[in-house]
């Protein structure tokens, strides 16, 4: 019996990795995207999924409650993976209401649609370590108290408790993953790891750029998205709906991640100065490669995240396989390749025209 899955947010980072995994497992997959004047499926293309016969793309906005009902009636999924959200913590301070509507209320529309259309559908909610915020214990596991420090974190916490509420009130299989930061070559460029690897790749290939960062001391538990989607899938295959932390159980600072990327590119850094005047100098040339820009410092910060994923390991048999060092190398290599391709495109602009026509004709 072929299973059908619906993934919201197929144009984001995790959606394509999850779609690839599900297709490999034999699923029929529906993925949702929202209409935009510059629609792009580059991530699906990157994983070779854009023309896959078992992947179907549908237009849906998470804040459209009627749309959620129609979507379920049309796809008749066995499993819904709710990945769509306004996910950038920095923007959530600028757009708190929109973040609450999409990231907080959006999942509630889907839960209501499941309750109405078919309560047997299994639902995955993408909860976040950002909900731990000002951490109340270290490491953080499924029993740690929440203290969100951003409109994004507060919105995720609403959706988190709504999912538990629908589990307990209506018997809906609401599986929850509290995922710690996970990255990949498909990560959006505004997130700090990708911003670092993209800028380091450009500098390594001769660009006169400087990497401008905010809080260098923030610490995160960084894993690899391709590892984490295995955890997401396992959460919906469990005997009972439950909540699981997915993490590597290692933490590193933004400064350490940046140092690692520059080391891998053969441009080792020396850190000088302090506070807003701190700089990363290239040990070989003395050139300033990293500086602080206060524009990237948030009104409230999550200082340190470190997850304990032992429950996922014990119950689901899930474990991460990729260290932060390996992850950084994978991301840097992908950005080096892109940087080389961009240089080729500058020399041969005809290539760019052909690829954008392909996306337009698809949409
Ligand atoms: P991305 O930001 O890469 O992708 C988010 C997706 O949501 C995009 O496809 C985006 O579409 C879509 N989206 C945004 N707003 C709407 C809307 N109103 N209606 C429909 N779709 C919308 O996130 P990730 O793939 O990294 O993360 C997946 C999920 O996991 C998210 O819910 C995130 O909050 C959560 N999470 C992620 C972690 C991480 O480290 N990556 C850690 C913990 C949780 P568009 O392309 O049009 O913007
Ligand atoms: P985060 O990821 O906020 O943890 O949310 P992000 O990469 O944006 O920030 C991580 C840490 O780095 C610090 N930082 C900077 N961040 C950005 N983006 N740009 C900078 O220049 C910069 N300089 C320092 C930040 O202050 C922060 O402390 C991610 C998202 O994927 C969420 O959707 C997800 O829920 C959480 O991870 C877990």
């Amino acid at each position: 019996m072929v299973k059908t899955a619906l993934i919201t947010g197929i144009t984001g980072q995790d959606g394509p990795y999850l779609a690839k995994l599900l297709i490999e497992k034999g699923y029929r997959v529906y993925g949702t995207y929202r209409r935009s004047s510059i629609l792009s499926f580059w991530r699906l293309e990157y994983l070779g999924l854009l023309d896959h016969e078992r992947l179907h793309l549908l237009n849906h906005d998470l804040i459209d409650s009627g749309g959620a009902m129609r979507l379920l009636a049309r796809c008749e999924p066995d499993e819904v993976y709710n990945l769509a959200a306004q996910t950038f913590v920095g923007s959530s301070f600028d757009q708190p209401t929109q973040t609450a509507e999409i990231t907080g209320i959006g999942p509630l529309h889907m839960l209501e649609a499941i309750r109405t259309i078919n309560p047997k559908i299994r639902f995955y909610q993408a909860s976040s370590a950002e909900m731990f915020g000002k951490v109340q214990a270290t490491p953080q596991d499924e029993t740690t108290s929440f203290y969100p420090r951003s409109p994004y974190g507060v919105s995720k916490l609403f959706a988190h408790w709504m999912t538990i509420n629908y589990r307990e009130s209506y018997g809906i299989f609401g599986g929850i993953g509290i995922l710690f930061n996970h990255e990949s070559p498909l990560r959006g460029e505004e997130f700090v790891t990708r911003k670092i690897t993209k800028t380091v790749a450009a500098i390594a290939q001769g660009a006169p750029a400087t990497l401008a960062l905010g809080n260098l001391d923030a610490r995160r538990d960084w894993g690899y998205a391709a590892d984490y989607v295995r955890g997401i899938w396992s959460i919906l295959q469990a005997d009972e709906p439950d909540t699981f932390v997915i993490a590597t159980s290692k933490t590193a600072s933004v400064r350490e991640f940046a140092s690692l990327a520059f080391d891998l590119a053969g441009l080792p850094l020396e850190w000088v100065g302090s506070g807003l005047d701190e700089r990363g100098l290239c040990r070989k040339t003395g050139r300033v490669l990293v500086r602080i820009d206060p524009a990237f410092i948030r009104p409230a910060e999550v200082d340190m995240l470190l997850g304990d994923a032992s429950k996922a390991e014990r119950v689901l048999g899930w474990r991460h396989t990729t260290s932060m060092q390996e992850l950084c190398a994978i991301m840097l290599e992908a950005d080096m390749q892109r940087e080389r391709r961009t240089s080729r495109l500058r020399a041969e602009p005809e290539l760019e025209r052909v690829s954008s026509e392909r996306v337009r004709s698809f949409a």
Side-chain angles (χ1 to χ4, degrees), residues 174-299:
I176 298 177
I178 305 179
L179 269 57
F180 283 62
N181 298 54
H182 48 281
E183 321 290 315
S184 74
L186 302 189
R187 189 59 142 153
E189 291 172 16
E190 67 275 40
F191 298 95
V192 76
T193 54
R194 182 74 207 293
K195 179 176 174 181
I196 291 171
T197 58
K198 185 177 156 60
T199 311
V200 171
I203 292 172
Q205 290 181 45
T210 306
L211 175 61
L213 293 172
N215 178 9
L216 295 173
D217 295 318
R219 300 184 73 83
R220 290 291 182 275
D221 178 331
W222 276 299
Y224 184 28
D227 273 350
Y228 283 31
V229 296
R230 285 189 291 104
I232 291 175
W233 174 75
S234 303
I235 288 169
L236 282 202
Q237 313 314 309
D239 294 337
E240 299 293 331
D242 206 345
T243 301
F244 296 92
V245 160
I246 300 287
T248 70
S249 306
K250 300 252 163 40
T251 187
S253 67
V254 170
R255 187 199 323 272
E256 285 162 349
F257 193 96
S259 294
L260 178 59
F262 277 106
D263 273 352
L264 288 169
L267 298 165
L269 292 182
E270 178 183 355
W271 295 93
V272 299
S274 61
L276 291 181
D277 192 38
E278 187 165 1
R279 282 150 291 146
L281 304 185
C282 179
R283 276 187 209 281
K284 291 180 178 166
T285 62
R287 189 179 135 201
V288 176
L289 296 183
V290 186
R291 66 179 172 81
I292 307 284
D293 182 338
F296 298 113
I297 295 177
R298 295 174 180 170

Side-chain angles (χ1 to χ4, degrees), residues 100-127:
E101 282 169 0
I102 298 173
T103 306
I105 310 279
L108 178 56
H109 293 315
M110 192 58 82
L111 283 163
E112 264 298 277
I114 289 175
R115 178 160 84 104
T116 309
I117 301 279
N118 176 7
K120 290 204 167 58
I121 296 171
R122 293 188 171 205
F123 175 79
Y124 172 82
Q125 172 56 17
S127 284

Side-chain angles (χ1 to χ4, degrees), residues 11-223:
T11 55
Q13 171 187 249
D14 292 0
Y17 282 114
L18 180 63
K20 186 164 188 284
L21 180 79
L22 296 177
I23 285 170
E24 284 164 5
K25 290 185 181 296
Y27 281 68
R28 179 190 306 118
V29 178
Y30 289 91
T32 74
Y33 65 94
R34 27 172 203 177
R35 204 207 74 80
S36 145
S37 60
I38 40 161
L39 195 57
S40 170
F41 295 110
W42 71 268
R43 293 180 170 102
L44 290 171
E45 202 161 12
Y46 190 93
L47 294 188
L49 294 176
L50 193 48
D51 300 320
H52 200 286
E53 59 185 11
R54 270 188 284 123
L55 178 63
H56 311 280
L57 301 179
L58 296 170
N59 191 219
H60 174 63
D61 197 304
L62 217 58
I63 60 174
D64 180 359
S65 57
M69 305 245 186
R70 286 194 299 280
L71 196 60
L72 296 188
R74 173 158 179 198
C75 307
E76 299 185 351
D78 300 290
E79 298 167 5
V80 172
Y81 295 88
N82 183 48
L83 305 185
Q86 192 302 96
T87 67
F88 190 47
V89 173
S91 294
S92 79
F93 287 101
D94 297 328
Q95 290 153 356
T97 310
Q98 191 204 38
T99 302
E101 282 169 0
I102 298 173
T103 306
I105 310 279
L108 178 56
H109 293 315
M110 192 58 82
L111 283 163
E112 264 298 277
I114 289 175
R115 178 160 84 104
T116 309
I117 301 279
N118 176 7
K120 290 204 167 58
I121 296 171
R122 293 188 171 205
F123 175 79
Y124 172 82
Q125 172 56 17
S127 284
S128 165
E130 182 71 13
M131 301 185 313
F132 293 121
K134 187 173 179 182
V135 297
Q136 303 295 296
T138 295
Q140 297 87 48
D141 67 13
E142 296 79 3
T143 65
T144 305
S145 302
F146 300 114
Y147 192 141
R149 296 263 282 172
S150 63
Y152 168 83
V154 174
S155 305
K156 278 284 176 189
L157 194 51
F158 175 84
H160 177 86
W161 280 114
M162 271 298 171
T163 305
I164 293 172
N165 199 258
Y166 272 59
R167 203 194 265 170
E168 295 177 355
S169 303
Y170 308 117
I172 285 170
F173 192 111
I176 298 177
I178 305 179
L179 269 57
F180 283 62
N181 298 54
H182 48 281
E183 321 290 315
S184 74
L186 302 189
R187 189 59 142 153
E189 291 172 16
E190 67 275 40
F191 298 95
V192 76
T193 54
R194 182 74 207 293
K195 179 176 174 181
I196 291 171
T197 58
K198 185 177 156 60
T199 311
V200 171
I203 292 172
Q205 290 181 45
T210 306
L211 175 61
L213 293 172
N215 178 9
L216 295 173
D217 295 318
R219 300 184 73 83
R220 290 291 182 275
D221 178 331
W222 276 299

